[in-house]
PDB file of all heavy atoms in Angstrom:
ATOM      1  N   GLU A1307     -28.273   8.054  -2.886  1.00 51.00           N
ATOM      2  CA  GLU A1307     -29.099   8.365  -4.083  1.00 51.00           C
ATOM      3  C   GLU A1307     -28.470   7.809  -5.337  1.00 51.00           C
ATOM      4  O   GLU A1307     -29.112   7.125  -6.115  1.00 51.00           O
ATOM      5  CB  GLU A1307     -29.271   9.846  -4.193  1.00 51.00           C
ATOM      6  CG  GLU A1307     -30.725  10.235  -4.415  1.00 51.00           C
ATOM      7  CD  GLU A1307     -30.825  11.740  -4.337  1.00 51.00           C
ATOM      8  OE1 GLU A1307     -30.582  12.394  -5.387  1.00 51.00           O
ATOM      9  OE2 GLU A1307     -31.206  12.228  -3.284  1.00 51.00           O
ATOM     10  N   ILE A1331     -17.045   5.478 -17.936  1.00 83.00           N
ATOM     11  CA  ILE A1331     -18.399   5.074 -17.539  1.00 83.00           C
ATOM     12  C   ILE A1331     -18.650   3.608 -17.996  1.00 83.00           C
ATOM     13  O   ILE A1331     -19.348   2.842 -17.299  1.00 83.00           O
ATOM     14  CB  ILE A1331     -19.483   6.019 -18.155  1.00 83.00           C
ATOM     15  CG1 ILE A1331     -19.096   7.496 -17.917  1.00 83.00           C
ATOM     16  CG2 ILE A1331     -20.826   5.726 -17.630  1.00 83.00           C
ATOM     17  CD1 ILE A1331     -18.988   7.857 -16.406  1.00 83.00           C
ATOM     18  N   LEU A1373      -8.949   6.370 -25.426  1.00 88.00           N
ATOM     19  CA  LEU A1373     -10.130   7.006 -24.878  1.00 88.00           C
ATOM     20  C   LEU A1373     -10.899   7.865 -25.897  1.00 88.00           C
ATOM     21  O   LEU A1373     -10.305   8.466 -26.767  1.00 88.00           O
ATOM     22  CB  LEU A1373      -9.698   7.903 -23.667  1.00 88.00           C
ATOM     23  CG  LEU A1373      -8.901   7.232 -22.573  1.00 88.00           C
ATOM     24  CD1 LEU A1373      -8.553   8.224 -21.471  1.00 88.00           C
ATOM     25  CD2 LEU A1373      -9.771   6.075 -21.978  1.00 88.00           C
ATOM     26  N   ALA A1426      -2.587 -20.960 -15.501  1.00 75.00           N
ATOM     27  CA  ALA A1426      -1.966 -20.610 -16.800  1.00 75.00           C
ATOM     28  C   ALA A1426      -2.313 -19.177 -17.219  1.00 75.00           C
ATOM     29  O   ALA A1426      -1.435 -18.438 -17.718  1.00 75.00           O
ATOM     30  CB  ALA A1426      -2.390 -21.599 -17.824  1.00 75.00           C
ATOM     31  N   ASP A1458       6.987  -1.733  -0.835  1.00 90.00           N
ATOM     32  CA  ASP A1458       7.208  -1.441  -2.262  1.00 90.00           C
ATOM     33  C   ASP A1458       6.002  -1.829  -3.097  1.00 90.00           C
ATOM     34  O   ASP A1458       5.659  -1.136  -4.051  1.00 90.00           O
ATOM     35  CB  ASP A1458       8.455  -2.159  -2.797  1.00 90.00           C
ATOM     36  CG  ASP A1458       9.719  -1.505  -2.202  1.00 90.00           C
ATOM     37  OD1 ASP A1458       9.550  -0.393  -1.639  1.00 90.00           O
ATOM     38  OD2 ASP A1458      10.788  -2.053  -2.322  1.00 90.00           O
TER      39      ASP A1458
END
Side-chain angles (χ1 to χ4, degrees):
E1307 227 172 83
I1331 310 300
L1373 304 179
D1458 287 349

